Protein backbone atom coordinates (compact mmCIF):
# COMPACT_ATOMS: atom_id res chain seq x y z
CA UNK A 1 0.00 0.00 0.00
CA UNK A 2 1.46 3.32 -1.02
CA UNK A 3 2.31 5.89 1.61
CA UNK A 4 0.64 9.21 0.83
CA UNK A 5 1.01 12.63 2.38
CA UNK A 6 -2.17 13.82 4.05
CA UNK A 7 -3.39 17.24 4.92
CA UNK A 8 -2.81 17.35 8.67
CA UNK A 9 -5.85 18.75 10.48
CA UNK A 10 -5.24 21.91 12.48
CA UNK A 11 -5.64 20.67 16.05
CA UNK A 12 -4.45 23.79 17.82
CA UNK A 13 -7.17 24.93 20.18
CA UNK A 14 -9.43 22.02 19.19
CA UNK A 15 -9.05 20.18 22.48
CA UNK A 16 -8.04 17.03 20.59
CA UNK A 17 -4.32 17.21 21.31
CA UNK A 18 -5.02 15.07 24.37
CA UNK A 19 -6.16 12.32 21.97
CA UNK A 20 -3.35 9.84 21.35
CA UNK A 21 -4.32 9.27 17.71
CA UNK A 22 -4.75 12.99 16.96
CA UNK A 23 -1.25 13.56 18.32
CA UNK A 24 0.13 10.79 16.09
CA UNK A 25 -1.47 12.48 13.07
CA UNK A 26 -0.34 15.96 14.03
CA UNK A 27 3.20 15.00 15.04
CA UNK A 28 3.59 12.42 12.25
CA UNK A 29 5.06 9.90 14.70
CA UNK A 30 3.28 6.68 13.76
CA UNK A 31 4.49 3.91 11.46
CA UNK A 32 2.06 4.92 8.71
CA UNK A 33 0.72 2.32 6.33
CA UNK A 34 -1.41 4.95 4.60
CA UNK A 35 -2.28 8.60 5.17
CA UNK A 36 -5.31 10.15 3.57
CA UNK A 37 -7.48 13.21 4.07
CA UNK A 38 -10.46 11.16 5.30
CA UNK A 39 -8.83 8.07 6.81
CA UNK A 40 -5.38 6.86 7.76
CA UNK A 41 -3.81 3.54 8.74
CA UNK A 42 -0.85 2.74 10.96
CA UNK A 43 0.85 -0.11 12.79
CA UNK A 44 0.00 -0.37 16.51
CA UNK A 45 2.78 -0.52 19.09
CA UNK A 46 1.77 -4.03 20.23
CA UNK A 47 0.66 -5.94 17.16
CA UNK A 48 -1.56 -8.99 17.67
CA UNK A 49 -0.21 -10.48 14.42
CA UNK A 50 2.33 -9.55 11.76
CA UNK A 51 0.79 -6.70 9.76
CA UNK A 52 -1.90 -5.80 12.34
CA UNK A 53 -3.07 -2.32 11.32
CA UNK A 54 -5.29 0.36 12.87
CA UNK A 55 -7.55 2.36 10.56
CA UNK A 56 -8.78 5.70 11.89
CA UNK A 57 -10.60 8.76 10.61
CA UNK A 58 -8.03 11.50 10.05
CA UNK A 59 -10.36 13.97 11.81
CA UNK A 60 -11.29 13.36 15.42
CA UNK A 61 -14.45 11.34 16.07
CA UNK A 62 -14.76 9.59 19.41
CA UNK A 63 -16.59 6.44 18.33
CA UNK A 64 -19.13 4.97 15.91
CA UNK A 65 -21.90 7.02 17.55
CA UNK A 66 -20.03 10.33 17.10
CA UNK A 67 -18.94 9.76 13.48
CA UNK A 68 -21.12 11.30 10.75
CA UNK A 69 -22.71 8.64 8.53
CA UNK A 70 -21.24 10.28 5.43
CA UNK A 71 -17.68 9.79 6.80
CA UNK A 72 -18.01 6.06 7.54
CA UNK A 73 -17.97 4.79 3.91
CA UNK A 74 -14.52 6.31 3.34
CA UNK A 75 -13.15 4.80 6.54
CA UNK A 76 -14.62 1.40 5.71
CA UNK A 77 -13.21 1.61 2.17
CA UNK A 78 -9.73 1.95 3.71
CA UNK A 79 -10.45 -0.94 6.10
CA UNK A 80 -11.36 -3.06 3.06
CA UNK A 81 -8.28 -1.94 1.12
CA UNK A 82 -5.99 -2.82 4.04
CA UNK A 83 -7.70 -6.23 4.34
CA UNK A 84 -7.26 -6.94 0.62
CA UNK A 85 -3.56 -6.00 0.82
CA UNK A 86 -3.14 -8.31 3.82
CA UNK A 87 -4.58 -11.18 1.83
CA UNK A 88 -2.54 -10.51 -1.30
CA UNK A 89 0.72 -9.11 0.13
CA UNK A 90 0.98 -11.06 3.40
CA UNK A 91 -0.83 -14.21 2.16
CA UNK A 92 -3.30 -13.96 5.06
CA UNK A 93 -6.13 -16.48 4.89
CA UNK A 94 -8.55 -13.89 6.26
CA UNK A 95 -8.82 -10.92 8.61
CA UNK A 96 -10.59 -9.96 11.80
CA UNK A 97 -11.97 -6.43 11.89
CA UNK A 98 -12.43 -5.29 15.46
CA UNK A 99 -13.98 -2.13 16.90
CA UNK A 100 -15.05 -1.08 20.37
CA UNK A 101 -17.25 2.02 20.62
CA UNK A 102 -18.41 3.69 23.79
CA UNK A 103 -17.53 3.43 27.47
CA UNK A 104 -19.25 0.07 27.96
CA UNK A 105 -17.27 -1.59 25.17
CA UNK A 106 -13.70 -1.56 26.51
CA UNK A 107 -12.71 1.11 23.97
CA UNK A 108 -9.10 1.91 24.84
CA UNK A 109 -8.57 5.16 22.90
CA UNK A 110 -11.46 7.63 22.51
CA UNK A 111 -10.90 8.07 18.75
CA UNK A 112 -12.81 5.81 16.34
CA UNK A 113 -10.53 3.02 15.18
CA UNK A 114 -10.76 -0.36 13.53
CA UNK A 115 -8.19 -3.07 14.14
CA UNK A 116 -7.55 -5.02 10.95
CA UNK A 117 -5.82 -8.22 12.04
CA UNK A 118 -4.51 -10.64 9.42
CA UNK A 119 -5.18 -14.29 10.19
CA UNK A 120 -3.67 -17.56 9.05
CA UNK A 121 -4.77 -21.13 9.75
CA UNK A 122 -3.32 -22.36 13.05
CA UNK A 123 -1.94 -18.92 14.00
CA UNK A 124 -2.49 -19.77 17.65
CA UNK A 125 -5.01 -17.24 18.90
CA UNK A 126 -8.67 -16.35 18.78
CA UNK A 127 -10.30 -12.94 18.67
CA UNK A 128 -13.77 -14.28 19.41
CA UNK A 129 -15.26 -13.83 22.88
CA UNK A 130 -15.15 -17.03 24.87
CA UNK A 131 -18.09 -16.19 27.14
CA UNK A 132 -21.62 -14.85 26.70
CA UNK A 133 -22.84 -11.61 28.23
CA UNK A 134 -24.65 -11.94 31.54
CA UNK A 135 -26.74 -8.81 30.82
CA UNK A 136 -30.51 -9.25 30.34
CA UNK A 137 -32.77 -6.84 28.46
CA UNK A 138 -36.27 -7.85 29.55
CA UNK A 139 -38.32 -7.81 26.34
CA UNK A 140 -36.95 -9.81 23.38
CA UNK A 141 -34.04 -7.67 22.09
CA UNK A 142 -34.48 -8.87 18.48
CA UNK A 143 -38.11 -7.70 18.48
CA UNK A 144 -37.07 -4.34 19.95
CA UNK A 145 -34.23 -3.85 17.46
CA UNK A 146 -36.42 -4.87 14.51
CA UNK A 147 -39.06 -2.31 15.47
CA UNK A 148 -36.46 0.43 15.96
CA UNK A 149 -34.70 -0.37 12.66
CA UNK A 150 -37.99 -0.40 10.76
CA UNK A 151 -39.00 2.95 12.25
CA UNK A 152 -35.62 4.59 11.56
CA UNK A 153 -35.52 3.22 8.00
CA UNK A 154 -38.88 4.83 7.32
CA UNK A 155 -37.55 8.22 8.41
CA UNK A 156 -33.98 8.00 7.04
CA UNK A 157 -34.33 5.51 4.18
CA UNK A 158 -30.60 5.66 3.54
CA UNK A 159 -29.71 1.97 3.65
Amino acid sequence: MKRLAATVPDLAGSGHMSCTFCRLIHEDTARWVFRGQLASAFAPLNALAPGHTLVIPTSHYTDIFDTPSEVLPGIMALVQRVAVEMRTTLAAGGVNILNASGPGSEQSVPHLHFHVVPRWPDDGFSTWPTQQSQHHVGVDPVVRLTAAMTASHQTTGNY
Side-chain angles (χ1 to χ4, degrees):
M1 189 170 293
K2 194 172 184 180
R3 213 172 176 175
L4 300 177
T7 303
V8 177
D10 182 13
L11 298 173
S14 69
H16 296 303
M17 283 310 292
S18 62
C19 171
T20 301
F21 293 165
C22 288
R23 272 197 323 277
L24 290 175
I25 292 166
H26 185 73
E27 297 170 1
D28 195 25
T29 54
R31 290 188 59 206
W32 297 106
V33 174
F34 179 85
R35 292 198 68 185
Q37 276 193 284
L38 186 63
S40 298
F42 64 95
L45 291 176
N46 298 306
L48 294 173
H52 174 186
T53 301
L54 293 174
V55 175
I56 63 171
T58 304
S59 295
H60 183 83
Y61 299 106
T62 302
D63 53 32
I64 198 80
F65 307 108
D66 181 45
T67 307
S69 60
E70 64 272 10
V71 173
L72 287 171
I75 298 166
M76 293 312 295
L78 183 55
V79 166
Q80 183 182 40
R81 184 172 169 205
V82 168
V84 167
E85 292 298 339
M86 287 174 173
R87 185 171 59 183
T88 57
T89 305
L90 303 178
V95 298
N96 287 124
I97 299 167
L98 309 169
N99 168 263
S101 282
S105 69
E106 300 179 14
Q107 182 177 2
S108 59
V109 176
H111 186 118
L112 179 67
H113 58 285
F114 294 90
H115 293 260
V116 187
V117 183
R119 299 298 304 271
W120 296 269
D122 302 320
D123 58 12
F125 76 100
S126 175
T127 55
W128 292 105
T130 58
Q131 300 173 352
Q132 290 184 321
S133 173
Q134 299 302 306
H135 184 78
H136 297 283
V137 184
V139 179
D140 184 342
V142 175
V143 170
R144 291 176 65 186
L145 285 171
T146 301
M149 293 296 293
T150 300
S152 71
H153 182 67
Q154 290 170 353
T155 58
T156 62
N158 61 357
Y159 44 86

